[in-house]
Coordinates of all heavy atoms in Angstrom, one line a residue:
M1 N 23.1 27.4 0.0 CA 21.6 27.0 0.0 C 21.3 26.3 -1.2 O 21.4 26.9 -2.2 CB 20.8 28.3 0.3 CG 19.3 28.2 0.6 SD 19.0 27.4 2.2 CE 17.3 26.8 1.9
L26 N -1.0 9.7 -7.1 CA -0.1 10.9 -7.1 C 1.1 10.8 -8.1 O 1.5 11.8 -8.7 CB 0.6 10.9 -5.7 CG -0.4 11.2 -4.6 CD1 0.3 10.8 -3.2 CD2 -0.7 12.7 -4.6
G81 N 9.4 0.4 9.5 CA 10.7 0.8 9.0 C 10.6 1.9 8.0 O 11.4 3.0 8.2
P159 N -20.6 17.0 6.6 CA -20.5 17.2 8.0 C -19.9 16.1 8.8 O -19.1 16.4 9.7 CB -22.0 17.4 8.4 CG -22.7 17.7 7.1 CD -21.9 17.1 5.9
A182 N -8.6 9.3 -3.6 CA -7.5 8.8 -4.5 C -8.2 8.3 -5.8 O -7.7 8.3 -6.9 CB -6.8 7.7 -3.7
Y206 N 16.6 10.8 -7.3 CA 16.3 10.0 -8.4 C 16.4 10.8 -9.7 O 16.0 12.0 -9.6 CB 15.0 9.3 -8.4 CG 14.9 8.2 -7.3 CD1 14.5 8.6 -6.0 CD2 15.5 6.9 -7.6 CE1 14.5 7.5 -5.1 CE2 15.5 6.0 -6.5 CZ 14.9 6.3 -5.4 OH 14.8 5.3 -4.4
Q210 N 12.3 9.1 -13.4 CA 12.1 7.8 -12.7 C 10.8 7.9 -11.8 O 10.7 8.8 -11.0 CB 13.3 7.4 -11.9 CG 13.2 6.1 -11.4 CD 14.6 5.5 -10.8 OE1 15.6 6.0 -11.2 NE2 14.5 4.5 -10.0
T212 N 9.6 5.0 -10.0 CA 9.7 4.0 -8.9 C 11.1 3.4 -8.8 O 11.8 3.5 -9.7 CB 8.7 2.9 -9.1 OG1 8.6 2.0 -7.9 CG2 8.8 2.1 -10.4
L236 N -7.3 -17.6 -0.2 CA -6.2 -18.1 -1.0 C -5.1 -17.1 -1.4 O -3.9 -17.5 -1.2 CB -6.8 -18.7 -2.4 CG -5.8 -19.6 -3.1 CD1 -6.5 -20.8 -3.6 CD2 -5.1 -18.8 -4.1
F304 N 3.6 -20.7 -14.0 CA 3.7 -22.0 -13.6 C 3.2 -22.0 -12.0 O 3.5 -20.8 -11.3 CB 5.2 -22.4 -13.5 CG 5.8 -22.3 -14.9 CD1 6.4 -21.3 -15.4 CD2 5.6 -23.4 -15.8 CE1 7.0 -21.2 -16.7 CE2 6.2 -23.4 -17.0 CZ 6.9 -22.3 -17.5
V307 N 3.5 -26.0 -5.7 CA 3.1 -26.3 -4.2 C 4.2 -26.2 -3.4 O 5.2 -27.0 -3.6 CB 2.2 -27.6 -4.1 CG1 1.7 -27.7 -2.6 CG2 1.1 -27.6 -5.0

Side-chain angles (χ1 to χ4, degrees):
M1 184 71 198
L26 289 167
Y206 292 97
Q210 188 166 340
T212 181
L236 198 139
F304 303 90
V307 180

